[in-house]
């Protein structure tokens, strides 16, 4: 695991929104037991934005919906999964940002830069 966290003790966002963003991005990083996995987390201030980036190893194909800018769940019980990235995207848009998803070979990357409210 690599981490770069350089943020002030308090941020101008509700804790519930920040926790929801981080929880969903980190939960997506969970991998099967017994496999080699890696995780990078990056949180820092960039101008008037809070940058949040999570990169991790990927062990399954990605079903990307280019129109929505989101991945569809590949889990069997689709009625109980597939809401996390949509919730992260909603928070990103609330703070004038987008959720950027990339999935190069054996990796998954999610990033956003939330504009800090005045």
């Amino acid at each position: 695991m690599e981490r770069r966290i350089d943020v002030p003790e308090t941020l101008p966002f509700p804790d519930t929104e920040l926790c929801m963003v981080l929880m969903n991005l980190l939960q997506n990083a969970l991998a099967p037991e017994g496999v080699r996995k890696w995780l990078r987390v990056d949180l820092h201030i960039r101008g008037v934005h809070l940058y949040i980036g999570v990169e991790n190893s990927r062990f399954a194909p990605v079903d990307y919906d280019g129109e929505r800018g989101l991945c569809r769940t590949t889990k069997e019980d689709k009625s109980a999964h597939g809401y996390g990235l949509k919730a992260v995207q909603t928070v990103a848009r609330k703070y004038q940002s987008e959720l950027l998803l990339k999935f190069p070979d054996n990796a998954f990357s999610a990033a956003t830069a939330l504009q800090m409210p005045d």
Side-chain angles (χ1 to χ4, degrees), residues 43-72:
L43 280 85
H44 65 272
I45 302 298
R46 184 185 289 170
V48 296
H49 295 89
L50 170 63
Y51 175 83
I52 301 171
V54 175
E55 296 177 80
N56 54 272
S57 45
R58 178 171 58 88
F59 301 95
V62 173
D63 184 4
Y64 183 70
D65 179 348
E67 279 186 34
R68 293 177 42 223
L70 293 171
C71 298
R72 294 179 198 95

Side-chain angles (χ1 to χ4, degrees), residues 38-107:
W38 56 269
L39 172 67
R40 290 185 195 103
V41 179
D42 186 0
L43 280 85
H44 65 272
I45 302 298
R46 184 185 289 170
V48 296
H49 295 89
L50 170 63
Y51 175 83
I52 301 171
V54 175
E55 296 177 80
N56 54 272
S57 45
R58 178 171 58 88
F59 301 95
V62 173
D63 184 4
Y64 183 70
D65 179 348
E67 279 186 34
R68 293 177 42 223
L70 293 171
C71 298
R72 294 179 198 95
T73 187
T74 57
K75 296 181 178 153
E76 287 185 33
D77 184 3
K78 296 190 184 326
S79 66
H81 298 282
Y83 302 102
L85 289 177
K86 185 174 182 176
V88 174
Q89 183 184 60
T90 298
V91 172
R93 289 179 174 170
K94 178 179 178 180
Y95 295 102
Q96 291 72 51
S97 186
E98 287 295 327
L99 175 62
L100 304 175
L101 303 175
K102 297 178 184 175
F103 17 89
D105 294 337
N106 301 319

Side-chain angles (χ1 to χ4, degrees), residues 25-42:
L25 295 181
L26 292 172
Q27 188 173 27
N28 283 339
L30 293 176
E33 289 294 321
V35 297
R36 184 169 171 83
K37 47 196 160 207
W38 56 269
L39 172 67
R40 290 185 195 103
V41 179
D42 186 0

